[in-house]
């Protein structure tokens, strides 16, 4: 029996160039790890590698899911217009959709309003790890019964959710990079004898790279950022031991040797 498919899209600025070294964040691969434990086959895609073209994104989603599946979207605030254009494509109105990421966290109601099809849809405000597994375990027709979740009621009204925050980043799963469509393409490029040597080397270099995070949260209130939505100001940290264990895991499972620390803030105190 085939596993249900989770197709995860990372939506960023529509003007971001389609370059192989521009892997977007580690968050989707944390959630991919959770989905794998729930029995899902997972594929993670970057919209900029499809030219941020809604028709191409829709076609790839249809091809990937085929029959049974869920669409997940991590969105930055700069991709609001792209979400609006995607919302009219058939796969984003047919399959259940889970929305999250910094943009959705900052203005959840506005982003959820884009998804106005008859399909089931939900939005996680905050750390996706808190609710993602529960969502995948729950029939989409019952998503509205999860109190912390932003979603629609049976009457078509928006049900307000609650910000979700991990107590510690030690509670987040190890990232699962094997679900990355970009990395699969890079592996093909690195082994393609027909390509120029320079291109193969660049592909190999990109495979050695991964984003990494040891902190989330912030003490400040910048208007452009999702962090002011935090119920409690402060920084959630990962202990050094846990960070080393995950880095070792990424080295052993994906060959990563270069880590870009993408922490929201570089210090643990306002002092």
């Amino acid at each position: 029996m085939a596993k249900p498919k989770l197709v995860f899209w990372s939506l960023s600025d529509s003007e971001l160039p389609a370059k192989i070294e521009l892997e977007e964040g580690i968050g989707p691969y944390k959630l991919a790890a959770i989905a794998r434990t729930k029995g899902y086959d997972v594929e993670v895609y970057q919209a900029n590698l499809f030219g941020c073209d809604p028709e191409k994104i829709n076609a790839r989603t249809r091809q990937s899911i085929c029959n049974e599946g869920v669409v997940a979207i991590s969105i930055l605030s700069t991709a609001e217009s792209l979400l609006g254009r995607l919302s009219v494509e058939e796969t984003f109105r047919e399959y259940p959709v889970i929305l999250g990421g910094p943009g959705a966290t900052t203005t959840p109601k506005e982003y959820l309003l884009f998804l106005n099809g008859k399909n089931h849809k939900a939005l996680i405000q905050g750390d996706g790890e808190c609710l993602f597994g529960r969502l995948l375990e729950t029939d989409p027709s019952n998503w509205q019964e999860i109190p912390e979740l932003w979603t629609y009621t049976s009457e078509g009204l928006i049900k307000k959710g609650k910000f979700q925050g991990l107590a510690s980043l030690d509670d987040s799963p190890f990232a699962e990079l094997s679900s990355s469509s970009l990395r699969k393409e890079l592996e093909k490029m690195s082994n393609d004898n027909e390509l120029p040597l320079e291109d193969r080397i660049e592909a190999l270099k990109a495979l050695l790279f991964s984003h990494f995070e040891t902190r989330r949260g912030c003490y400040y209130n910048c208007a452009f950022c999702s962090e002011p939505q935090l119920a409690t100001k402060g920084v959630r940290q990962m202990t050094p031991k846990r960070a080393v264990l995950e880095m070792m895991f990424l080295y052993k499972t994906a060959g990563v040797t270069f880590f870009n620390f993408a922490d929201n803030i570089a210090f643990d105190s306002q002092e």
Side-chain angles (χ1 to χ4, degrees):
M1 182 178 178
K3 295 180 180 179
K5 178 65 70 68
L6 173 69
V7 176
F8 208 126
W9 284 98
S10 180
L11 306 188
S12 61
D13 190 334
S14 60
E15 297 181 356
L16 186 69
K19 295 183 179 179
I20 61 174
E21 67 268 23
L22 292 174
E23 182 84 66
E24 297 173 5
I26 199 69
Y29 302 106
K30 298 275 188 175
L31 301 184
I34 293 174
R36 288 276 174 85
T37 67
K38 304 302 178 183
Y40 279 78
D41 182 17
V42 188
E43 293 180 4
V44 181
Y45 295 98
Q46 296 181 196
N48 67 297
L49 297 181
F50 289 78
C52 291
D53 185 324
E55 292 185 2
K56 291 180 180 179
I57 294 172
N58 178 67
R60 171 57 66 179
T61 304
R62 171 70 70 186
Q63 181 180 354
S64 297
I65 291 183
C66 295
N67 296 311
E68 181 183 2
V70 175
V71 178
I73 302 172
S74 177
I75 183 169
L76 297 177
S77 57
T78 53
E80 183 176 344
S81 63
L82 176 57
L83 179 64
R85 287 179 283 134
L86 279 175
S87 67
V88 300
E89 297 292 337
E90 57 181 6
T91 56
F92 293 84
R93 301 177 68 84
E94 177 181 345
Y95 295 111
V97 175
I98 301 172
L99 188 61
T105 290
T106 304
T107 53
K109 182 177 180 179
E110 286 77 359
Y111 278 77
L112 192 56
L113 283 171
F114 278 110
L115 305 176
N116 55 11
K118 294 183 179 180
N119 57 329
H120 300 290
K121 45 264 180 185
L123 183 148
I124 302 175
Q125 184 184 24
D127 294 335
E129 297 96 326
C130 296
L131 291 178
F132 201 68
R134 187 175 173 188
L135 267 173
L136 297 180
E137 292 175 335
T138 304
D139 188 284
S141 63
N142 296 322
W143 280 351
Q144 67 184 57
E145 297 177 8
I146 300 176
E148 303 89 349
L149 196 66
W150 286 79
T151 186
Y152 284 90
T153 68
S154 56
E155 292 78 25
L157 303 175
I158 287 183
K159 179 185 77 66
K160 185 177 180 180
K162 298 178 181 179
F163 187 96
Q164 301 298 299
L166 294 169
S168 167
L169 290 197
D170 285 4
D171 299 329
S172 182
F174 289 171
E176 177 57 74
L177 297 183
S178 64
S179 57
S180 169
S181 62
L182 173 60
R183 295 185 72 84
K184 293 174 183 175
E185 184 62 30
L186 291 171
E187 288 170 358
K188 291 180 182 178
M189 291 174 62
S190 67
N191 293 308
D192 189 346
N193 293 326
E194 301 298 321
L195 287 177
L197 180 60
E198 293 81 1
D199 291 347
R200 296 178 65 189
I201 291 174
E202 286 302 309
L204 284 169
K205 287 167 60 178
L207 284 168
L208 297 175
F209 171 88
S210 175
H211 292 293
F212 198 80
E213 61 178 356
T214 62
R215 295 177 181 86
R216 290 182 195 167
C218 188
Y219 303 100
Y220 305 106
N221 292 286
C222 301
F224 59 81
C225 185
S226 63
E227 292 305 320
Q229 301 295 325
L230 283 167
T232 302
K233 291 291 182 291
V235 175
R236 293 97 77 204
Q237 304 173 38
M238 181 180 289
T239 59
K241 179 178 180 180
R242 170 60 169 71
V244 169
L245 288 174
E246 183 164 358
M247 293 170 79
M248 291 174 60
F249 173 81
L250 292 175
Y251 169 70
K252 291 178 180 178
T253 60
V256 176
T257 57
F258 294 90
F259 296 90
N260 174 45
F261 286 83
D263 297 354
N264 288 356
I265 199 166
F267 46 87
D268 301 324
S269 171
Q270 283 182 288
E271 301 301 324

